[in-house]
Amino acid sequence: MRVDALLRSSPVTAPERARELEAAGFDGAWAGEMNHDPFIPLVRAAEHTERIELGTNIAVAFARSPMNAAHVAWDLQLLSDGRFTLGLGSQIKAHIVRRFSMPWSRPAARMQEYIEALHAIWDAWETGDRLDFRGDFYQHTYTSPLVRPAQLDGGRPKVYLAAVGPLMTKVAGRVADGLHCHSFTTADYLNEVTVPALRSGEADAGRPAGSTELSLPVITVVGETQEEFDRRSLSARLRIAYYGSTPAYRGVLEHHGWGQAQTELRELSLQGRWEEMAGVIDDDMLRTIAAVGTATEVADILADRFGGTVDRLIPVISHEDPTAVSEHDPDVESRLLSSLRESRSRAPG
């Protein structure tokens, strides 16, 4: 199991952050599409690192055409000497229609065709054959030597797909190299809902079971004192509450019998009562969704829950400042990475 970290999305801090992660021994670094474009930080990170793998978790697919994504992924694969993974996600309808002013319909079917179009474009670039992709959502029928990039020595980028529900998870199994799980995921939901859907998708496409890599960010609460736990737990509860208020993620809560909590969180969010939402997340919910304990305890929890299932693990560090839930904590990251290495060395086999 490889251990990755979040690069975050600022293009200004990306080089320093990427160098720190590489020096610390992390296997990969992921940038997301939040308040910055997800690709520009990775351009800068690629220029300032040599070993660490780089990718998007996630870039919003439906905000750009498959041709746009094909070009930027190809260029990042070139810049990074073969270390780039294109991680895509659908986002929700409000973002696509109201934020990006792009069409929205049948997201799972659209996403499968999107990834198929990506590979059709790359096939044409690699072989020089005529591009002739005609789907229900995307049509790509023109390329020429003037717009075709040079061949990549390291091969085309991997494509990961983010999914929570079974439909999109099956799409990942059919056409993606990897599945980006959401940090709003529990071990039970992963094993009882996500993995079966992924295997079903692989079977649909005639792919061997296990063909799709699993990447999982996990919310962690790491502390050595009660005061640390209290502060970091509040950050984690706020993050979980924010995700839990999203109707698309209700299935995770319902899987554990917490569907009513989603209704309550949704109502509070619509009223703008964000601070009160943390109170909905009780200790059982917190410890089921997040890994809570000292660095050693959290490492053992993560290894026990996901060691036999997940290929890439991304510890999401809860900050001591509840208003800084998107920040990283290098000291905690370092302690947790060291503990994860020790936990892996103690594992049988």
Side-chain angles (χ1 to χ4, degrees):
M1 183 170 63
R2 286 162 286 180
V3 182
D4 301 336
L6 298 177
L7 182 67
R8 303 304 178 191
S9 57
S10 170
V12 176
T13 60
E16 180 181 1
R17 171 73 170 154
R19 287 194 299 266
E20 288 176 352
L21 294 174
E22 184 169 73
F26 282 95
D27 296 300
W30 301 94
E33 187 148 13
M34 299 293 287
N35 54 343
H36 294 279
D37 180 276
F39 297 112
I40 295 175
L42 294 170
V43 170
R44 302 205 68 203
E47 294 174 336
H48 290 83
T49 56
E50 297 178 355
R51 175 196 58 80
I52 196 168
E53 296 174 65
L54 303 169
T56 50
N57 185 9
I58 52 84
V60 179
F62 301 154
R64 45 185 64 83
S65 78
M67 183 64 76
N68 296 140
H71 271 289
V72 72
W74 195 269
D75 287 346
L76 271 163
Q77 183 77 332
L78 175 65
L79 281 171
S80 65
D81 295 322
R83 293 181 284 139
F84 178 69
T85 295
L86 176 62
L88 299 171
S90 63
Q91 251 297 354
I92 60 174
K93 182 178 180 180
H95 279 268
I96 302 305
V97 175
R98 295 167 53 198
R99 178 181 169 202
F100 293 109
S101 190
M102 296 290 278
W104 173 273
S105 65
R106 300 169 57 203
R110 181 183 288 269
M111 184 64 78
Q112 179 162 332
E113 187 175 294
Y114 191 105
I115 296 174
E116 290 168 344
L118 269 177
H119 284 293
I121 292 165
W122 289 337
D123 286 343
W125 290 352
E126 289 179 338
T127 65
D129 292 341
R130 181 170 178 265
L131 176 60
D132 188 23
F133 182 87
R134 302 172 190 269
D136 295 329
F137 307 99
Y138 303 103
Q139 293 80 41
H140 296 280
T141 59
Y142 178 81
T143 189
S144 75
L146 290 176
V147 298
R148 184 186 301 125
Q151 297 292 302
L152 292 170
D153 292 336
R156 65 180 63 179
K158 288 183 179 180
V159 178
Y160 276 31
L161 174 59
V164 176
L167 284 179
M168 194 67 78
T169 302
K170 287 182 181 180
V171 172
R174 293 187 194 111
V175 297
D177 298 297
L179 171 66
H180 271 318
C181 299
H182 199 284
S183 58
F184 192 71
T185 297
T186 67
D188 284 351
Y189 188 87
L190 182 73
N191 291 318
E192 296 170 15
V193 178
T194 300
V195 172
L198 189 66
R199 299 293 175 253
S200 175
E202 290 170 340
D204 289 345
R207 304 172 70 192
S211 298
T212 318
E213 295 180 348
L214 267 169
S215 173
L216 176 67
V218 182
I219 299 169
T220 65
V221 180
V222 180
E224 304 296 332
T225 67
Q226 188 61 49
E227 186 178 3
E228 276 189 311
F229 277 124
D230 290 343
R231 289 198 298 264
R232 295 181 187 276
S233 292
L234 179 56
S235 292
R237 291 178 204 271
L238 284 168
R239 183 186 292 272
I240 293 168
Y242 171 76
Y243 292 143
S245 68
T246 305
Y249 304 152
R250 184 183 180 97
V252 178
L253 293 174
E254 287 185 334
H255 187 74
H256 291 271
W258 299 327
Q260 183 56 39
Q262 198 281 326
T263 303
E264 186 176 353
L265 289 167
R266 179 67 173 165
E267 287 299 316
L268 289 171
S269 70
L270 292 174
Q271 297 169 29
R273 295 159 62 185
W274 299 101
E275 293 183 2
E276 297 176 45
M277 290 166 59
V280 178
I281 310 303
D282 61 26
D283 286 347
D284 186 29
M285 296 169 70
L286 173 67
R287 291 179 177 272
T288 300
I289 297 171
V292 182
T294 65
T296 299
E297 290 169 343
V298 167
D300 287 342
I301 290 169
L302 294 175
D304 289 343
R305 287 182 184 176
F306 307 115
T309 307
V310 171
D311 299 290
R312 310 195 73 106
L313 186 73
I314 311 170
V316 179
I317 308 298
S318 296
H319 202 273
E320 288 195 36
D321 178 1
T323 65
V325 293
S326 64
E327 297 300 319
H328 63 273
D329 189 321
D331 177 60
V332 174
E333 282 181 337
S334 177
R335 282 190 281 141
L336 186 52
L337 178 60
S338 177
S339 296
L340 280 165
R341 286 172 175 161
E342 293 174 5
S343 179
R344 283 189 295 187
S345 69
R346 294 194 302 269

